[in-house]
Short mmCIF file of all heavy atoms in Angstrom, two decimals:
data_model
loop_
_atom_site.label_atom_id
_atom_site.label_comp_id
_atom_site.label_asym_id
_atom_site.label_seq_id
_atom_site.Cartn_x
_atom_site.Cartn_y
_atom_site.Cartn_z
N MET E 1 127.27 163.42 192.85
CA MET E 1 127.51 162.18 192.05
C MET E 1 128.58 162.54 190.94
O MET E 1 128.63 163.45 190.46
CB MET E 1 126.25 161.79 191.40
CG MET E 1 125.18 161.24 192.39
SD MET E 1 125.50 159.55 192.96
CE MET E 1 124.85 158.63 191.62
N GLN E 2 129.24 161.42 190.59
CA GLN E 2 130.15 161.54 189.44
C GLN E 2 129.85 160.50 188.42
O GLN E 2 129.41 159.44 188.66
CB GLN E 2 131.60 161.35 190.00
CG GLN E 2 132.10 162.43 191.03
CD GLN E 2 133.46 162.12 191.47
OE1 GLN E 2 133.83 161.01 192.00
NE2 GLN E 2 134.33 163.08 191.15
N ARG E 3 130.00 160.99 187.19
CA ARG E 3 129.61 160.19 185.97
C ARG E 3 130.90 159.95 185.16
O ARG E 3 131.55 160.93 184.78
CB ARG E 3 128.54 160.96 185.22
CG ARG E 3 128.06 160.08 184.10
CD ARG E 3 126.96 160.80 183.37
NE ARG E 3 126.55 159.92 182.32
CZ ARG E 3 125.53 158.99 182.45
NH1 ARG E 3 125.10 158.71 183.48
NH2 ARG E 3 125.19 158.16 181.36
N VAL E 4 131.20 158.61 184.85
CA VAL E 4 132.32 158.45 184.08
C VAL E 4 131.77 158.01 182.59
O VAL E 4 130.87 157.42 182.40
CB VAL E 4 133.24 157.23 184.62
CG1 VAL E 4 132.35 155.95 184.71
CG2 VAL E 4 134.39 156.95 183.92
N SER E 5 132.61 158.52 181.71
CA SER E 5 132.28 158.15 180.26
C SER E 5 133.51 158.15 179.40
O SER E 5 134.60 158.50 179.80
CB SER E 5 131.33 159.30 179.70
OG SER E 5 131.99 160.54 179.74
N VAL E 6 133.34 157.45 178.17
CA VAL E 6 134.41 157.30 177.39
C VAL E 6 134.07 158.05 176.14
O VAL E 6 132.99 158.11 175.55
CB VAL E 6 134.64 155.85 176.98
CG1 VAL E 6 135.60 155.73 175.87
CG2 VAL E 6 134.93 154.99 178.13
N ASP E 7 135.01 158.81 175.68
CA ASP E 7 134.85 159.62 174.44
C ASP E 7 135.11 158.82 173.18
O ASP E 7 136.27 158.41 172.94
CB ASP E 7 135.79 160.90 174.55
CG ASP E 7 135.54 161.77 173.29
OD1 ASP E 7 135.14 161.35 172.23
OD2 ASP E 7 136.06 162.82 173.31
N PRO E 8 134.15 158.49 172.39
CA PRO E 8 134.35 157.47 171.34
C PRO E 8 135.15 158.15 170.28
O PRO E 8 135.79 157.38 169.52
CB PRO E 8 132.91 157.38 170.84
CG PRO E 8 132.11 158.42 171.32
CD PRO E 8 132.69 158.92 172.62
N ALA E 9 135.37 159.43 170.21
CA ALA E 9 136.29 159.97 169.19
C ALA E 9 137.76 159.80 169.64
O ALA E 9 138.63 159.90 168.72
CB ALA E 9 136.04 161.46 169.05
N LYS E 10 138.03 159.56 170.84
CA LYS E 10 139.42 159.41 171.42
C LYS E 10 139.76 158.00 171.56
O LYS E 10 141.01 157.56 171.47
CB LYS E 10 139.61 160.23 172.73
CG LYS E 10 139.58 161.68 172.51
CD LYS E 10 139.76 162.35 173.94
CE LYS E 10 139.78 163.90 173.80
NZ LYS E 10 139.90 164.49 175.15
N CYS E 11 138.84 157.07 171.92
CA CYS E 11 139.20 155.71 172.25
C CYS E 11 139.71 155.01 171.11
O CYS E 11 139.25 155.04 169.96
CB CYS E 11 137.93 154.98 172.65
SG CYS E 11 138.29 153.22 173.08
N GLN E 12 140.93 154.31 171.41
CA GLN E 12 141.59 153.55 170.33
C GLN E 12 141.60 152.08 170.68
O GLN E 12 142.27 151.32 169.99
CB GLN E 12 142.95 153.98 170.03
CG GLN E 12 143.11 155.38 169.58
CD GLN E 12 142.52 155.60 168.29
OE1 GLN E 12 142.62 154.81 167.35
NE2 GLN E 12 141.75 156.70 167.93
N GLY E 13 140.85 151.63 171.67
CA GLY E 13 140.70 150.21 171.96
C GLY E 13 141.77 149.62 172.65
O GLY E 13 142.06 148.41 172.60
N HIS E 14 142.55 150.53 173.55
CA HIS E 14 143.74 149.82 174.23
C HIS E 14 143.30 148.93 175.39
O HIS E 14 144.17 148.22 175.79
CB HIS E 14 144.60 151.00 174.84
CG HIS E 14 145.24 151.84 173.71
ND1 HIS E 14 146.23 151.41 173.02
CD2 HIS E 14 144.98 153.16 173.42
CE1 HIS E 14 146.76 152.36 172.15
NE2 HIS E 14 145.79 153.37 172.40
N ALA E 15 142.06 148.99 175.72
CA ALA E 15 141.52 148.01 176.77
C ALA E 15 142.09 148.03 178.11
O ALA E 15 141.81 147.16 178.99
CB ALA E 15 141.74 146.56 176.13
N ARG E 16 142.81 149.05 178.52
CA ARG E 16 143.39 149.07 179.88
C ARG E 16 142.24 149.42 180.77
O ARG E 16 142.24 148.95 181.91
CB ARG E 16 144.48 150.21 179.90
CG ARG E 16 145.76 149.87 179.17
CD ARG E 16 146.83 150.74 179.43
NE ARG E 16 147.83 150.53 178.61
CZ ARG E 16 148.93 151.23 178.40
NH1 ARG E 16 149.03 152.42 179.17
NH2 ARG E 16 149.83 151.09 177.51
N CYS E 17 141.16 150.15 180.40
CA CYS E 17 140.08 150.34 181.21
C CYS E 17 139.36 149.12 181.68
O CYS E 17 139.06 148.92 182.81
CB CYS E 17 139.10 151.31 180.55
SG CYS E 17 138.64 150.81 178.96
N LEU E 18 139.29 148.18 180.54
CA LEU E 18 138.54 146.94 180.97
C LEU E 18 139.32 146.12 181.89
O LEU E 18 138.92 145.36 182.76
CB LEU E 18 138.29 146.30 179.68
CG LEU E 18 137.28 144.97 179.72
CD1 LEU E 18 135.84 145.52 179.78
CD2 LEU E 18 137.44 144.01 178.67
N ALA E 19 140.66 146.20 181.71
CA ALA E 19 141.61 145.30 182.63
C ALA E 19 141.50 145.91 184.05
O ALA E 19 141.47 145.13 184.97
CB ALA E 19 143.01 145.50 182.16
N PHE E 20 141.36 147.15 184.28
CA PHE E 20 141.25 147.79 185.66
C PHE E 20 139.78 147.67 186.17
O PHE E 20 139.69 147.36 187.44
CB PHE E 20 141.68 149.20 185.63
CG PHE E 20 143.28 149.52 185.70
CD1 PHE E 20 143.80 149.91 184.49
CD2 PHE E 20 144.05 149.07 186.59
CE1 PHE E 20 145.20 150.11 184.40
CE2 PHE E 20 145.40 149.28 186.68
CZ PHE E 20 145.94 149.77 185.55
N ALA E 21 138.82 147.81 185.39
CA ALA E 21 137.47 148.00 185.88
C ALA E 21 136.60 147.20 185.02
O ALA E 21 135.66 147.75 184.38
CB ALA E 21 137.12 149.43 186.18
N PRO E 22 136.53 145.82 184.94
CA PRO E 22 135.76 145.16 184.04
C PRO E 22 134.31 145.11 184.43
O PRO E 22 133.43 144.88 183.57
CB PRO E 22 136.39 143.69 184.08
CG PRO E 22 137.03 143.61 185.46
CD PRO E 22 137.58 144.97 185.71
N ASP E 23 134.00 145.62 185.57
CA ASP E 23 132.55 145.62 186.01
C ASP E 23 132.05 146.99 185.60
O ASP E 23 130.83 147.21 185.91
CB ASP E 23 132.41 145.41 187.44
CG ASP E 23 133.29 146.06 188.30
OD1 ASP E 23 134.24 146.81 187.81
OD2 ASP E 23 133.02 146.11 189.53
N VAL E 24 132.72 147.85 185.20
CA VAL E 24 132.26 149.22 184.74
C VAL E 24 132.33 149.44 183.12
O VAL E 24 131.42 149.81 182.58
CB VAL E 24 133.18 150.31 185.50
CG1 VAL E 24 132.64 151.79 184.92
CG2 VAL E 24 132.98 150.23 186.94
N PHE E 25 133.46 149.17 182.66
CA PHE E 25 133.72 149.36 181.17
C PHE E 25 133.24 148.14 180.44
O PHE E 25 133.34 146.99 180.90
CB PHE E 25 135.17 149.67 180.92
CG PHE E 25 135.50 150.98 181.49
CD1 PHE E 25 136.14 150.97 182.76
CD2 PHE E 25 135.44 152.08 180.91
CE1 PHE E 25 136.61 152.11 183.33
CE2 PHE E 25 135.85 153.42 181.50
CZ PHE E 25 136.41 153.17 182.66
N ASP E 26 132.83 148.44 179.19
CA ASP E 26 132.35 147.30 178.22
C ASP E 26 132.88 147.71 176.87
O ASP E 26 133.30 148.80 176.74
CB ASP E 26 130.80 147.10 178.28
CG ASP E 26 130.41 145.75 177.81
OD1 ASP E 26 131.20 145.02 177.32
OD2 ASP E 26 129.16 145.41 178.03
N PHE E 27 132.89 146.66 175.96
CA PHE E 27 133.25 146.93 174.62
C PHE E 27 132.17 146.76 173.59
O PHE E 27 131.35 145.90 173.74
CB PHE E 27 134.51 146.09 174.22
CG PHE E 27 135.82 146.55 174.76
CD1 PHE E 27 136.19 146.25 175.93
CD2 PHE E 27 136.42 147.36 173.86
CE1 PHE E 27 137.37 146.74 176.43
CE2 PHE E 27 137.68 147.94 174.40
CZ PHE E 27 138.11 147.56 175.60
N ASP E 28 132.11 147.68 172.46
CA ASP E 28 131.23 147.64 171.44
C ASP E 28 131.70 146.49 170.46
O ASP E 28 132.80 146.02 170.77
CB ASP E 28 130.83 148.88 170.92
CG ASP E 28 131.96 149.57 170.21
OD1 ASP E 28 132.99 148.86 169.85
OD2 ASP E 28 131.98 150.77 169.98
N ASP E 29 130.94 146.27 169.47
CA ASP E 29 131.28 145.26 168.50
C ASP E 29 132.62 145.63 167.70
O ASP E 29 133.26 144.70 167.12
CB ASP E 29 130.28 144.96 167.56
CG ASP E 29 128.99 144.35 168.08
OD1 ASP E 29 129.16 143.85 169.30
OD2 ASP E 29 127.91 144.50 167.54
N GLU E 30 133.09 146.83 167.79
CA GLU E 30 134.30 147.27 167.06
C GLU E 30 135.45 147.21 167.98
O GLU E 30 136.52 147.70 167.53
CB GLU E 30 134.01 148.53 166.32
CG GLU E 30 132.96 148.39 165.24
CD GLU E 30 132.54 149.77 164.52
OE1 GLU E 30 132.83 150.69 165.18
OE2 GLU E 30 131.97 149.71 163.38
N GLY E 31 135.22 146.94 169.22
CA GLY E 31 136.44 146.96 170.09
C GLY E 31 136.75 148.32 170.88
O GLY E 31 137.87 148.47 171.37
N TYR E 32 135.74 149.16 170.87
CA TYR E 32 135.94 150.37 171.54
C TYR E 32 135.14 150.34 172.78
O TYR E 32 134.19 149.75 172.96
CB TYR E 32 135.40 151.64 170.62
CG TYR E 32 136.32 151.65 169.30
CD1 TYR E 32 135.71 151.49 168.16
CD2 TYR E 32 137.60 152.14 169.48
CE1 TYR E 32 136.49 151.55 166.98
CE2 TYR E 32 138.37 152.21 168.31
CZ TYR E 32 137.83 151.88 167.05
OH TYR E 32 138.58 152.03 165.96
N ALA E 33 135.58 151.00 173.82
CA ALA E 33 135.05 150.99 175.11
C ALA E 33 133.88 152.10 175.39
O ALA E 33 133.84 153.10 174.60
CB ALA E 33 136.17 151.41 176.24
N PHE E 34 132.99 151.41 176.17
CA PHE E 34 131.97 152.40 176.59
C PHE E 34 131.51 152.03 178.06
O PHE E 34 131.86 151.02 178.52
CB PHE E 34 130.70 152.50 175.61
CG PHE E 34 129.86 151.06 175.63
CD1 PHE E 34 128.71 151.04 176.29
CD2 PHE E 34 130.31 150.05 174.98
CE1 PHE E 34 127.96 149.85 176.43
CE2 PHE E 34 129.69 148.78 174.96
CZ PHE E 34 128.44 148.75 175.68
N VAL E 35 130.74 152.90 178.55
CA VAL E 35 130.28 152.76 179.87
C VAL E 35 128.72 152.59 179.87
O VAL E 35 128.01 153.64 179.54
CB VAL E 35 130.63 153.69 180.92
CG1 VAL E 35 130.13 153.26 182.35
CG2 VAL E 35 132.18 153.84 181.02
N PRO E 36 128.06 151.38 180.15
CA PRO E 36 126.68 151.38 180.01
C PRO E 36 126.03 152.33 181.11
O PRO E 36 126.56 152.56 182.22
CB PRO E 36 126.39 149.87 180.53
CG PRO E 36 127.64 149.10 180.10
CD PRO E 36 128.76 150.06 180.33
N ASP E 37 124.94 152.86 180.79
CA ASP E 37 124.27 153.92 181.68
C ASP E 37 124.17 153.44 183.04
O ASP E 37 124.35 154.15 184.08
CB ASP E 37 122.91 154.29 181.15
CG ASP E 37 123.07 155.33 180.04
OD1 ASP E 37 124.14 155.95 179.95
OD2 ASP E 37 122.06 155.68 179.35
N ASP E 38 123.74 152.17 183.30
CA ASP E 38 123.54 151.74 184.64
C ASP E 38 124.75 151.48 185.39
O ASP E 38 124.66 151.01 186.61
CB ASP E 38 122.52 150.60 184.63
CG ASP E 38 123.17 149.32 183.91
OD1 ASP E 38 124.27 149.44 183.20
OD2 ASP E 38 122.65 148.20 184.00
N ARG E 39 125.92 151.67 184.80
CA ARG E 39 127.23 151.46 185.60
C ARG E 39 127.99 152.81 185.62
O ARG E 39 129.07 152.83 186.17
CB ARG E 39 128.11 150.45 184.82
CG ARG E 39 127.47 149.16 184.65
CD ARG E 39 128.56 148.34 183.90
NE ARG E 39 128.22 147.15 183.30
CZ ARG E 39 128.82 146.41 182.53
NH1 ARG E 39 130.20 146.76 182.34
NH2 ARG E 39 128.37 145.34 181.85
N ALA E 40 127.37 153.85 185.27
CA ALA E 40 128.20 155.08 184.94
C ALA E 40 128.19 156.11 186.10
O ALA E 40 129.17 156.97 186.16
CB ALA E 40 127.68 155.81 183.77
N GLN E 41 127.42 155.90 187.10
CA GLN E 41 127.40 156.97 188.12
C GLN E 41 127.73 156.36 189.47
O GLN E 41 127.45 155.24 189.92
CB GLN E 41 125.96 157.51 188.24
CG GLN E 41 125.67 158.43 186.97
CD GLN E 41 124.43 159.28 187.27
OE1 GLN E 41 123.98 159.66 188.26
NE2 GLN E 41 123.86 159.59 186.13
N PHE E 42 128.50 157.30 190.21
CA PHE E 42 128.96 156.83 191.54
C PHE E 42 129.10 157.98 192.53
O PHE E 42 129.30 159.15 192.16
CB PHE E 42 130.51 156.50 191.37
CG PHE E 42 130.84 155.42 190.42
CD1 PHE E 42 131.03 155.66 189.04
CD2 PHE E 42 130.72 154.13 190.91
CE1 PHE E 42 131.26 154.57 188.14
CE2 PHE E 42 130.94 152.97 189.96
CZ PHE E 42 131.21 153.31 188.55
N GLU E 43 128.62 157.68 193.76
CA GLU E 43 128.76 158.61 194.77
C GLU E 43 130.33 159.11 194.96
O GLU E 43 130.70 160.22 195.03
CB GLU E 43 128.38 158.14 196.19
CG GLU E 43 126.80 158.01 196.25
CD GLU E 43 126.09 159.33 196.28
OE1 GLU E 43 126.78 160.41 196.65
OE2 GLU E 43 124.93 159.43 196.14
N GLU E 44 131.10 158.05 194.92
CA GLU E 44 132.60 158.22 194.95
C GLU E 44 133.29 157.34 193.96
O GLU E 44 132.89 156.16 194.00
CB GLU E 44 133.14 158.02 196.44
CG GLU E 44 134.55 158.56 196.67
CD GLU E 44 134.96 158.37 198.12
OE1 GLU E 44 133.99 158.43 198.99
OE2 GLU E 44 136.05 158.15 198.46
N LEU E 45 134.12 157.95 193.24
CA LEU E 45 134.65 157.17 192.13
C LEU E 45 135.47 156.06 192.64
O LEU E 45 136.45 156.29 193.52
CB LEU E 45 135.58 158.10 191.28
CG LEU E 45 135.66 157.74 189.89
CD1 LEU E 45 134.35 157.80 189.13
CD2 LEU E 45 136.60 158.76 189.23
N PRO E 46 135.12 154.65 192.36
CA PRO E 46 136.02 153.60 192.83
C PRO E 46 137.48 153.63 192.37
O PRO E 46 137.65 154.17 191.29
CB PRO E 46 135.30 152.39 192.23
CG PRO E 46 133.95 152.82 191.79
CD PRO E 46 134.19 154.24 191.43
N ASN E 47 138.46 153.13 193.14
CA ASN E 47 139.81 153.09 192.75
C ASN E 47 140.02 152.48 191.34
O ASN E 47 140.87 153.06 190.62
CB ASN E 47 140.62 152.37 193.87
CG ASN E 47 141.06 153.39 194.92
OD1 ASN E 47 141.07 154.58 194.71
ND2 ASN E 47 141.36 152.94 196.08
N PRO E 48 139.42 151.32 191.01
CA PRO E 48 139.73 150.68 189.65
C PRO E 48 139.29 151.76 188.59
O PRO E 48 139.97 151.73 187.56
CB PRO E 48 138.76 149.50 189.69
CG PRO E 48 138.61 149.14 191.11
CD PRO E 48 138.54 150.46 191.78
N VAL E 49 138.27 152.53 188.82
CA VAL E 49 137.94 153.54 187.73
C VAL E 49 138.98 154.77 187.76
O VAL E 49 139.30 155.13 186.58
CB VAL E 49 136.50 154.02 187.96
CG1 VAL E 49 136.09 155.11 187.00
CG2 VAL E 49 135.46 152.92 187.85
N LYS E 50 139.40 155.10 188.86
CA LYS E 50 140.53 156.08 188.88
C LYS E 50 141.77 155.59 188.02
O LYS E 50 142.35 156.33 187.42
CB LYS E 50 140.83 156.50 190.41
CG LYS E 50 139.77 157.23 191.06
CD LYS E 50 140.18 157.50 192.47
CE LYS E 50 139.18 158.11 193.29
NZ LYS E 50 139.57 158.35 194.70
N LEU E 51 142.08 154.25 188.36
CA LEU E 51 143.32 153.75 187.74
C LEU E 51 142.99 153.73 186.18
O LEU E 51 143.95 153.86 185.34
CB LEU E 51 143.52 152.35 188.28
CG LEU E 51 144.17 152.43 189.59
CD1 LEU E 51 144.09 150.83 190.15
CD2 LEU E 51 145.55 152.79 189.61
N ALA E 52 141.74 153.35 185.84
CA ALA E 52 141.50 153.22 184.42
C ALA E 52 141.59 154.69 183.64
O ALA E 52 142.18 154.92 182.61
CB ALA E 52 140.00 152.81 184.05
N VAL E 53 141.20 155.76 184.48
CA VAL E 53 141.22 157.12 183.96
C VAL E 53 142.68 157.51 183.75
O VAL E 53 143.07 158.01 182.72
CB VAL E 53 140.45 158.03 184.84
CG1 VAL E 53 140.80 159.54 184.55
CG2 VAL E 53 139.01 157.85 184.80
N ALA E 54 143.57 157.21 184.78
CA ALA E 54 144.96 157.57 184.75
C ALA E 54 145.69 156.70 183.78
O ALA E 54 146.73 157.14 183.28
CB ALA E 54 145.50 157.35 186.13
N ASN E 55 145.24 155.57 183.33
CA ASN E 55 146.05 154.77 182.56
C ASN E 55 145.55 154.53 181.10
O ASN E 55 146.32 153.86 180.25
CB ASN E 55 146.09 153.23 183.04
CG ASN E 55 147.04 153.26 184.29
OD1 ASN E 55 148.23 153.13 184.13
ND2 ASN E 55 146.53 153.39 185.61
N CYS E 56 144.49 155.31 180.71
CA CYS E 56 144.13 155.32 179.20
C CYS E 56 145.12 156.16 178.53
O CYS E 56 145.28 157.33 178.71
CB CYS E 56 142.77 155.87 179.14
SG CYS E 56 142.28 156.11 177.34
N PRO E 57 145.78 155.50 177.63
CA PRO E 57 146.90 156.17 176.78
C PRO E 57 146.22 157.32 175.90
O PRO E 57 147.02 158.35 175.58
CB PRO E 57 147.55 155.15 175.86
CG PRO E 57 147.07 153.78 176.53
CD PRO E 57 145.74 154.09 177.07
N GLU E 58 145.06 157.34 175.59
CA GLU E 58 144.41 158.27 174.82
C GLU E 58 143.69 159.44 175.59
O GLU E 58 143.12 160.32 174.95
CB GLU E 58 143.44 157.69 173.78
CG GLU E 58 144.04 156.50 173.03
CD GLU E 58 145.12 156.87 172.04
OE1 GLU E 58 145.18 158.03 171.59
OE2 GLU E 58 145.85 156.04 171.74
N ARG E 59 143.75 159.26 176.90
CA ARG E 59 142.95 160.21 177.71
C ARG E 59 141.53 160.29 177.33
O ARG E 59 140.92 161.39 177.21
CB ARG E 59 143.70 161.63 177.75
CG ARG E 59 145.05 161.53 178.32
CD ARG E 59 145.02 161.76 179.76
NE ARG E 59 146.28 161.82 180.39
CZ ARG E 59 146.84 160.78 181.07
NH1 ARG E 59 146.27 159.67 181.28
NH2 ARG E 59 148.17 160.93 181.54
N ALA E 60 140.99 159.22 177.08
CA ALA E 60 139.63 159.10 176.37
C ALA E 60 138.49 158.93 177.50
O ALA E 60 137.37 159.12 177.26
CB ALA E 60 139.47 157.89 175.51
N ILE E 61 138.96 158.81 178.74
CA ILE E 61 137.96 158.54 179.84
C ILE E 61 137.91 159.79 180.69
O ILE E 61 138.79 160.38 181.05
CB ILE E 61 138.36 157.44 180.76
CG1 ILE E 61 138.54 156.08 179.95
CG2 ILE E 61 137.17 157.17 181.77
CD1 ILE E 61 139.36 154.96 180.73
N SER E 62 136.58 160.23 180.82
CA SER E 62 136.45 161.50 181.58
C SER E 62 135.25 161.26 182.73
O SER E 62 134.50 160.46 182.69
CB SER E 62 135.95 162.59 180.61
OG SER E 62 134.58 162.38 180.05
N VAL E 63 135.55 162.22 183.75
CA VAL E 63 134.73 162.17 184.86
C VAL E 63 134.08 163.45 185.01
O VAL E 63 134.75 164.45 184.96
CB VAL E 63 135.48 161.67 186.07
CG1 VAL E 63 134.67 161.79 187.33
CG2 VAL E 63 136.13 160.28 186.04
N SER E 64 132.77 163.50 185.20
CA SER E 64 132.18 164.82 185.32
C SER E 64 131.11 164.78 186.56
O SER E 64 130.57 163.76 186.91
CB SER E 64 131.41 165.20 184.01
OG SER E 64 130.38 164.14 183.85
N GLU E 65 131.01 165.88 187.14
CA GLU E 65 129.96 165.99 188.33
C GLU E 65 128.63 166.04 187.69
O GLU E 65 128.37 166.76 186.73
CB GLU E 65 130.28 167.22 189.13
CG GLU E 65 131.56 167.22 189.97
CD GLU E 65 131.51 166.33 191.08
OE1 GLU E 65 130.32 166.10 191.58
OE2 GLU E 65 132.52 165.86 191.52
N VAL E 66 127.74 165.26 188.20
CA VAL E 66 126.28 165.34 187.86
C VAL E 66 125.36 165.55 188.97
O VAL E 66 125.79 165.45 190.18
CB VAL E 66 125.93 164.07 187.03
CG1 VAL E 66 126.64 163.93 185.73
CG2 VAL E 66 126.20 162.78 187.96
FE1 F3S B 101 139.69 153.14 174.97
FE2 F3S B 101 141.43 154.07 176.68
FE3 F3S B 101 139.94 152.01 177.35
S1 F3S B 101 141.79 153.97 174.58
S2 F3S B 101 139.72 150.91 175.41
S3 F3S B 101 139.26 154.07 176.89
S4 F3S B 101 142.04 152.29 177.97
#
């Protein structure tokens, strides 16, 4: 399984993640991205999430094996 997460210390709210994968990423009240727990794990990372990872200007999105 792979788990996707946003590092809140790096996210600057560019919102490209939300544009690529709106069913995975969400925004908190201050405009920073996060991934709700029930959307964070995948057998295989979907392409929209891969695009979000590749296009975040702050490199704030990470994927880990779980
Ligand atoms: Fe933040 Fe990167 Fe998305 S800066 S809002 S995780 S595109």
Side-chain angles (χ1 to χ4, degrees):
M1 293 283 279
Q2 294 184 302
R3 184 177 181 86
V4 62
S5 62
V6 176
D7 183 342
K10 291 183 179 174
C11 177
Q12 296 295 317
H14 293 289
R16 293 189 192 171
C17 52
L18 195 75
F20 282 111
D23 50 347
V24 174
F25 296 91
D26 204 347
F27 275 89
D28 65 19
D29 291 343
E30 295 175 341
Y32 298 110
F34 69 101
V35 182
D37 271 348
D38 61 349
R39 306 182 194 171
Q41 290 194 25
F42 302 92
E43 287 289 347
E44 191 172 333
L45 212 58
N47 273 339
V49 176
K50 291 180 184 173
L51 286 168
V53 171
N55 284 278
C56 173
E58 308 297 334
R59 298 273 180 256
I61 307 167
S62 60
V63 177
S64 56
E65 291 288 336
V66 290

